[in-house]
Amino acid sequence: DTDGDGLICIKEFILLLHVMSDEDPKEKIKWIFSSYDENNDQLINFAEMKKYVATVCEMMKRKGDGDALALEIMKALDVDKDSRVSQKEAIEACAANPEILALLNLSVNGHFHY
């Protein structure tokens, strides 16, 4: 419920299911781009990153400054420092950064045991 209206929208629900899937992190990044690239320029800007980070933080019940976390992630992913992140930059930076990669590996199977 990232907008605080007391409801989980379909986008928030689908993000939860997708991030919790066993899919390859590279495929998750591609999906994130297709879902959060609101202006369809094939890049994620800071405003789009803030929306994604807010959704993930809400899902994980993580407290703290979402804007600061979004900025930190942008700095880690934005290799060419143009204030936008391409899909290629994101995939390469995530592969090289275990902390960011861990955010993409929230598999249900790693949290729940049957």
Side-chain angles (χ1 to χ4, degrees), residues 55-72:
T55 302
V56 171
C57 287
E58 177 67 24
M59 261 181 3
M60 297 172 62
K61 301 295 184 204
R62 181 176 177 169
K63 302 292 182 199
D65 187 352
D67 287 356
L69 180 57
L71 183 60
E72 183 180 333

Side-chain angles (χ1 to χ4, degrees), residues 65-111:
D65 187 352
D67 287 356
L69 180 57
L71 183 60
E72 183 180 333
I73 293 171
M74 282 292 290
K75 286 180 181 178
L77 299 181
D78 185 16
V79 176
D80 63 9
K81 306 299 180 210
D82 65 352
S83 300
R84 303 173 302 173
V85 177
S86 70
Q87 197 173 102
K88 182 177 186 263
E89 282 177 308
I91 289 169
E92 290 174 359
C94 287
N97 188 321
E99 188 175 343
I100 295 174
L101 191 58
L103 290 174
L104 296 170
N105 276 332
L106 299 175
S107 169
V108 169
N109 293 331
H111 296 281

Side-chain angles (χ1 to χ4, degrees), residues 21-79:
S21 76
D22 287 328
E23 194 166 318
D24 178 68
K26 183 177 178 179
E27 294 304 314
K28 290 179 184 183
I29 291 168
K30 289 179 181 179
W31 184 86
I32 290 166
F33 266 79
S34 69
S35 299
Y36 284 85
D37 178 17
E38 294 179 346
N39 61 4
N40 296 313
D41 64 355
Q42 304 300 305
L43 301 164
I44 298 292
N45 61 38
F46 184 64
E48 292 165 334
M49 181 64 74
K50 283 189 344 183
K51 286 183 181 182
Y52 171 71
V53 169
T55 302
V56 171
C57 287
E58 177 67 24
M59 261 181 3
M60 297 172 62
K61 301 295 184 204
R62 181 176 177 169
K63 302 292 182 199
D65 187 352
D67 287 356
L69 180 57
L71 183 60
E72 183 180 333
I73 293 171
M74 282 292 290
K75 286 180 181 178
L77 299 181
D78 185 16
V79 176

